[in-house]
């Protein structure tokens, strides 16, 4: 019972393979029958071979012809085969019928092989998806109930046991465990996670039992979004492929016209006999068809995308993969990209009568709403101190943050930014800052004041005072503004340390080895800090103290010189530059949605060495495509010349033509490895 069922299943999935096998058997038997002079039997078997082997291509070819009014090369093949059969019957040269059937057979075999190749890339992409379980154990009135994923609601609490797959994106509410996020990041080293941290659907829970709270609808989980992006990437055709397809359409017409001329003129012009003429015209139809050219690009790019996805490198479409192979200059953001982005307060220096704790406290009041790594580090360092969040807080990307605390303006940020709000930066502090910056530390200045007296007079209630004074963080105090607005004073500085990624230097070296001509660093941070970090990773060209739009300008300039420029970044301040670059590459997807949306390539694992892997993959794809096109064109030219000189008969033409098509398809599949 089971066996026929499986057979039907197999036949359905591999109908192209089955058709090719049947066609081959019928052809073999037909040829034997012909050899033994059983003409009746041969005339039954051979047409059957034509129909079974050619049905699918003929159907598709005719659909294209009638619906889109376009000729496709499949149809040319069928016409060539039928032409050979017709010629055979007419001239009573029955071996021509066999030649035509061989054409159909080889065409069917190569079609089946290509089908197999496509199914393989698809399967390897789909294997990403099969990782999410279908059901989750949900806590309902203290009991575990199994619920299908699609029915999970935001707020549900679910239980995940050791060794189980995480069913949907959620936040840990109790327990801790090490989690293998390989499905998403391609990185099998487990990551420790505990209460408050986010876990992702499709990742594998380690030894701990976890209670999770669902915080977003299951259909918008990270893995689902990634899968959607990969699927989209598959359907979008890169410009090079579109070019080839347009080329195919006009080319197919050209072949038909040339074919007709070749079938009619030579007897008059060259004195060929009709049989030779028509035979060569049919062979021409076959060998001139650009099948191999058509197969040169897409299988290669699809395999590359699938390979990348397995390693945690998300290419949003095939053209970016191809483009990655042409990159000649790369710009790196510093904080969070070349460094871990896990910033820690290294030292606090206070000014005047203020204590170090004062400096931290005041800074924390505004940083409490910041998403910036610097802000988080300051808040963490000030967590045991007593403070409340400031109001009217405004972050200025790439510069600093400002707000009102206790009737006073608080300003935290880089020197240039803070300087706009204070009369001067104390000299001893500037000296300490230089020393710290030379060691690669990031220094932020903390200032406060400027509206204390006035706000105090404005009304004890507070709200009145706040409304009266417009805070415009961008406008620097002009000499004409009331003294109360410009009298903010520096109360100290905070030096932050951010470790350079362990893999940064090796990755930069690898990129240089791969032939990238220019590598630069772009940062909003101070020049000295930037130089120190750049030196430790092997970057010679540094652009520091940049605002987000300055980063974009640098990319533009690089593009003038190097054409294809990649930008690697992680933060909101990098978004304009990521968008401007030929390829925007974002680091680490867990958490930052900006990255997933604006970047062309996402390194899911948050590991820099994946950049070299992506580059290598791009180079290889680009190389294989070039190779494929060369092979395809050489075969076509070789066969055309051979045919004209009479050295190529139909079966050899077909083998050469289909052989080259299969060759380039398989060559593209090499990227799956
Ligand atoms: P990068 O380009 O290296 O990622 P950013 O552009 O995010 O750095 O920031 C540039 C500089 O602006 C920082 O080095 C810091 O001095 C200042 N800055 C930015 N945001 C903040 C903030 N929330 N608090 C304090 N300083 C900040
Ligand atoms: Mg950054």
């Amino acid at each position: 019972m089971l066996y026929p069922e499986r057979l039907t299943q197999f036949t359905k999935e591999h109908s192209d393979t089955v058709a090719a096998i049947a066609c081959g058997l019928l052809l073999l038997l037909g040829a034997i029958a012909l050899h033994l002079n059983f003409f009746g039997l041969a005339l039954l078997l051979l047409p059957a071979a034509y129909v079974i082997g050619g049905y699918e291509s003929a159907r598709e070819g005719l659909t294209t012809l009638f619906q889109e009014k376009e000729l496709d090369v499949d149809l040319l093949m069928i016409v060539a085969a039928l032409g050979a059969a017709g010629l055979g019957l007419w001239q009573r040269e029955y071996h021509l019928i066999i030649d035509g059937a061989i054409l159909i057979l080889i065409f069917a075999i190569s079609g089946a092989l290509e089908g197999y190749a496509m199914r393989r890339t698809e399967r390897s992409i789909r294997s990403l998806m099969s990782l999410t379980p279908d059901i989750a154990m949900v806590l309902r009135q203290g009991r575990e109930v199994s619920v299908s994923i699609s029915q999970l609601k935001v707020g549900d609490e679910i239980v995940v046991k050791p060794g189980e797959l995480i069913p949907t994106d959620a936040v840990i509410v109790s327990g801790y465990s090490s989690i293998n996020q390989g499905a998403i990041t391609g990185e099998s080293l487990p990551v420790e996670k505990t209460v408050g941290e986010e876990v992702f659907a499709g990742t594998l829970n380690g030894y701990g039992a976890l209670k999770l709270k669902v915080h977003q609808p299951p259909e918008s989980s990270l893995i689902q979004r990634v899968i959607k992006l990969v699927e989209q990437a598959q359907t979008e055709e890169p410009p090079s492929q579109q070019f080839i397809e347009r080329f195919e359409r006009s080319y197919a017409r050209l072949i038909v016209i040339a074919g007709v001329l070749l079938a009619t003129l030579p007897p008059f012009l060259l004195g060929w006999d009709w049989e030779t003429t028509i035979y060569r015209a049919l062979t021409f139809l076959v060998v001139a068809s650009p099948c191999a050219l058509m197969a040169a690009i897409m299988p290669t790019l699809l395999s590359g995308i699938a390979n990348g996805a397995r390693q945690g490198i998300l290419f949003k479409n095939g053209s970016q993969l191809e483009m990655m192979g042409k990159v000649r200059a790369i710009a790196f953001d510093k904080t969070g990209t070349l460094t871990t982005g896990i910033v820690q307060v290294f030292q606090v220096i206070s000014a005047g009568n203020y204590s170090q704790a004062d400096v931290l406290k005041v800074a924390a009041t505004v940083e409490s709403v910041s998403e910036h790594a610097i802000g988080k580090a300051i808040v963490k360092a000030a967590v045991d101190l007593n403070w409340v969040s400031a109001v009217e807080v405004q972050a200025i990307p790439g510069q600093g943050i400002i707000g009102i605390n206790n009737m006073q303006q608080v300003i935290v940020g880089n020197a240039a930014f803070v300087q706009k709000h204070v009369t001067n930066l104390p000299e001893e502090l500037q000296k300490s800052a230089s020393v710290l910056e030379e060691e690669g530390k990031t220094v932020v200045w903390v200032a406060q004041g400027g509206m204390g007296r006035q706000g105090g007079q404005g009304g004890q209630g507070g709200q009145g005072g706040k409304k009266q004074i417009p805070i415009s963080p961008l406008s620097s105090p002009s000499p004409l503004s009331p003294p109360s607005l410009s009298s903010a004073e520096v109360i100290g500085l905070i030096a932050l340390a951010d470790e350079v990624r362990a893999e940064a230097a090796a990755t930069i070296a690898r990129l240089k080895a791969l032939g990238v001509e220019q590598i630069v660093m772009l940062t909003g941070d101070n020049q000295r800090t930037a130089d120190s970090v750049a030196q430790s990773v092997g970057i010679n060209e540094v652009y520091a103290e940049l605002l987000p739009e300055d980063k974009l300008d640098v990319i533009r300039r690089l593009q003038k010189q190097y054409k294809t420029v990649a930008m690697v970044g992680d933060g909101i301040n990098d978004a304009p530059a990521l968008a401007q670059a030929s390829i925007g590459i974002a680091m680490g997807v867990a958490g930052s949605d900006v990255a997933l949306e604006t970047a062309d390539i996402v390194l899911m694992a948050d590991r820099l060495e994946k950049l070299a892997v992506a580059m290598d993959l791009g180079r290889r794809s680009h190389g294989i495509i070039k190779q494929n096109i060369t092979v395809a064109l050489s075969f076509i030219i070789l066969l055309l010349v051979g045919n004209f000189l009479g050295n190529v008969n139909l079966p050899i033409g077909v083998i050469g033509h289909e052989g080259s098509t299969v060759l380039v398809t398989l060559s593209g599949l090499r990227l799956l490895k």
Side-chain angles (χ1 to χ4, degrees):
M1 264 322 275
L2 213 104
Y3 185 60
E5 238 171 64
R6 269 210 216 147
L7 192 66
T8 355
Q9 177 71 14
F10 179 86
T11 314
K12 248 189 221 151
E13 275 176 26
H14 302 267
S15 57
D16 46 6
T17 314
V18 174
I21 293 173
C23 173
L25 286 175
L26 286 166
L27 169 59
L28 188 68
L29 295 175
I32 293 172
L34 202 62
H35 190 70
L36 301 176
N37 288 331
F38 293 148
F39 287 114
L41 190 59
L43 287 183
L44 218 64
L45 291 169
L46 291 174
Y50 274 72
V51 172
I52 291 186
Y55 174 76
E56 197 46 40
S57 315
R59 200 178 54 86
E60 276 172 25
L62 289 174
T63 320
T64 325
L65 183 66
F66 289 118
Q67 285 181 355
E68 294 164 36
K69 306 270 179 286
E70 295 287 358
L71 268 176
D72 75 4
V73 287
D74 291 20
L75 203 59
L76 295 186
M77 290 289 141
I78 305 286
V79 170
L82 290 178
L87 190 66
L89 286 174
W90 176 40
Q91 299 281 331
R92 300 194 182 274
E93 299 255 14
Y94 297 119
H95 67 90
L96 287 179
I97 306 183
I98 297 208
D99 285 1
I102 292 177
L103 199 173
I104 299 250
L105 171 65
I106 295 181
F107 197 56
I109 292 176
S110 87
L113 274 175
E114 274 169 54
Y116 165 77
M118 286 302 178
R119 279 193 295 270
R120 239 189 92 177
T121 38
E122 254 163 46
R123 204 166 350 118
S124 99
I125 286 173
R126 229 177 323 158
S127 67
L128 279 174
M129 309 179 215
S130 57
L131 285 164
T132 42
D134 304 323
I135 54 160
M137 299 306 281
V138 179
L139 282 176
R140 293 267 154 86
Q141 276 115 30
R143 275 196 295 144
E144 290 180 24
V145 198
S146 83
V147 166
S148 90
I149 301 295
S150 56
Q151 257 139 37
L152 280 180
K153 282 186 288 296
V154 173
D156 275 345
E157 286 196 332
I158 54 182
V159 186
V160 179
K161 301 201 172 68
E164 285 182 349
L165 287 168
I166 310 283
T168 186
D169 287 10
V171 175
I172 302 179
V173 285
S174 80
Y176 65 89
S177 188
S178 63
I179 294 181
N180 182 334
Q181 307 201 108
I184 289 177
T185 62
E187 193 67 42
S188 54
L189 269 185
V191 189
E192 302 287 327
K193 297 222 176 178
T194 180
V195 176
E197 288 183 273
E198 194 179 10
V199 292
F200 301 103
T203 59
L204 186 63
N205 184 21
Y207 293 115
L210 296 174
K211 196 158 96 183
L212 311 172
K213 189 169 204 145
V214 179
H215 68 305
Q216 62 175 359
E219 64 274 13
S220 59
S221 70
L222 183 59
I223 191 141
Q224 291 302 334
R225 280 185 291 156
V226 168
I227 289 165
K228 262 185 220 126
L229 286 173
V230 174
E231 282 175 345
Q232 242 171 38
Q234 279 193 292
T235 54
E236 262 169 50
E237 292 188 334
S240 52
Q241 176 69 13
Q242 287 167 9
F243 170 78
I244 284 210
E245 274 170 24
R246 253 180 310 182
F247 170 75
E248 184 214 358
R249 278 179 223 133
S250 25
Y251 187 73
R253 264 179 243 137
L254 201 76
I255 293 177
V256 172
I257 297 170
V260 171
L261 294 178
L262 280 178
T264 48
L265 294 184
F268 305 111
L269 298 182
L270 303 171
W272 294 1
D273 64 56
W274 280 102
E275 196 197 326
T276 312
T277 307
I278 295 181
Y279 189 78
R280 287 192 186 165
L282 292 173
T283 312
F284 168 81
L285 272 194
V286 174
V287 299
S289 296
C291 293
L293 211 51
M294 301 290 299
I297 299 180
M298 281 320 269
T300 311
L301 292 182
L302 292 187
S303 309
I305 291 174
N307 183 330
R310 264 205 317 259
Q311 303 195 62
I313 303 166
L314 179 64
F315 291 97
K316 292 241 199 107
N317 68 50
S319 56
Q320 267 113 30
L321 175 60
E322 219 185 333
M323 185 101 82
M324 194 66 186
K326 302 186 208 161
V327 167
R328 292 172 55 206
I330 304 184
F332 284 93
D333 163 55
K334 177 178 75 78
T335 319
T337 302
L338 287 172
T339 65
T340 58
I342 305 167
V343 181
Q344 274 168 336
V345 169
F346 174 76
Q347 195 179 350
V348 180
I349 304 178
S350 58
N353 296 326
Y354 294 96
S355 70
Q356 291 177 330
D358 289 335
V359 177
L360 273 180
K361 266 200 300 205
V362 170
T365 62
V366 283
E367 298 285 12
S368 61
V369 299
S370 171
E371 55 37 84
H372 202 285
I374 292 178
K376 289 196 182 135
I378 292 176
V379 171
K380 200 165 158 206
V383 75
D384 293 329
L385 307 172
N386 204 6
W387 50 272
V388 290
S389 294
V391 295
E392 294 187 26
V393 179
Q394 209 165 343
I396 297 94
Q399 303 185 60
I401 194 162
I402 193 164
I404 298 169
N405 171 49
N406 201 14
M407 301 296 185
Q408 302 212 32
Q409 197 172 19
V410 176
I411 304 126
V412 184
N414 61 29
F417 176 66
V418 171
Q419 226 154 7
K420 288 186 203 162
H421 298 265
V422 299
T423 33
N424 70 319
L425 302 177
E427 214 160 285
E428 333 85 69
L429 259 63
Q430 286 198 47
K431 267 189 215 135
S432 316
S434 309
V435 174
L436 286 161
E437 283 167 353
E438 256 147 41
E439 291 167 11
K441 308 289 185 292
T442 296
V443 172
V444 299
W445 296 80
V446 184
Q448 102 176 328
M451 48 192 299
R453 277 149 286 153
Q454 208 189 33
Q457 285 157 4
Q460 299 294 75
Q463 310 105 304
K466 271 169 224 150
K467 276 199 185 122
Q468 271 169 8
I469 298 153
I471 303 296
S472 159
L474 285 176
S475 66
S476 46
S478 72
L480 292 177
S481 42
S484 57
L485 268 181
S486 59
S487 64
E489 57 168 345
V490 169
I491 66 169
L493 61 79
I494 303 175
L496 300 120
D498 178 8
E499 258 173 66
V500 172
R501 287 180 192 267
E503 74 273 18
T507 304
I508 305 273
R510 177 104 186 82
L511 291 173
K512 284 182 185 162
L514 279 170
V516 179
E517 294 163 47
Q518 176 68 300
I519 297 180
V520 307
M521 175 167 142
L522 309 181
T523 178
D525 208 344
N526 175 278
Q527 184 79 47
R528 277 186 291 266
T529 316
D531 285 340
S532 153
V533 172
Q535 205 194 352
S536 71
V537 298
I539 293 182
N540 311 329
E541 193 137 341
V542 181
Y543 298 85
E545 294 164 40
L546 303 179
L547 299 179
E549 55 272 29
D550 301 331
K551 290 191 176 184
L552 183 149
D553 280 340
V554 177
I555 299 286
R556 266 204 199 118
R557 256 184 287 151
L558 286 172
Q559 278 170 326
K560 280 211 187 94
Q561 198 179 345
Y562 298 99
K563 271 203 184 130
T564 315
V565 176
M567 160 84 198
V568 195
D570 71 319
I572 297 171
N573 60 328
D574 301 320
L578 286 175
Q580 170 66 34
S582 324
I583 312 178
I585 304 167
M587 294 282 295
V589 76
S592 136
D593 273 355
V594 195
L596 198 59
E597 306 309 330
T598 34
D600 302 310
I601 300 177
V602 183
L603 308 179
M604 311 280 284
D606 197 26
R607 294 187 61 97
L608 216 46
E609 72 256 26
K610 297 278 178 176
L611 185 65
V613 179
M615 175 74 81
D616 195 39
L617 208 54
R619 291 265 144 122
R620 273 164 62 206
S621 315
H622 189 56
I624 290 182
I625 288 175
K626 272 206 278 194
Q627 243 174 41
N628 278 354
I629 290 180
T630 317
V631 167
L633 287 178
S634 323
F635 263 81
I636 291 179
I637 292 169
L638 211 72
L639 290 171
L640 279 178
V641 172
N643 177 39
F644 190 77
L645 298 178
N647 293 331
V648 172
N649 65 12
L650 197 51
I652 290 184
V654 171
I655 290 171
H657 173 261
E658 294 300 321
S660 61
T661 310
V662 171
L663 195 71
V664 298
T665 311
L666 292 180
S667 158
L669 291 192
R670 280 185 290 166
L671 279 183
L672 279 179
K673 296 253 163 57

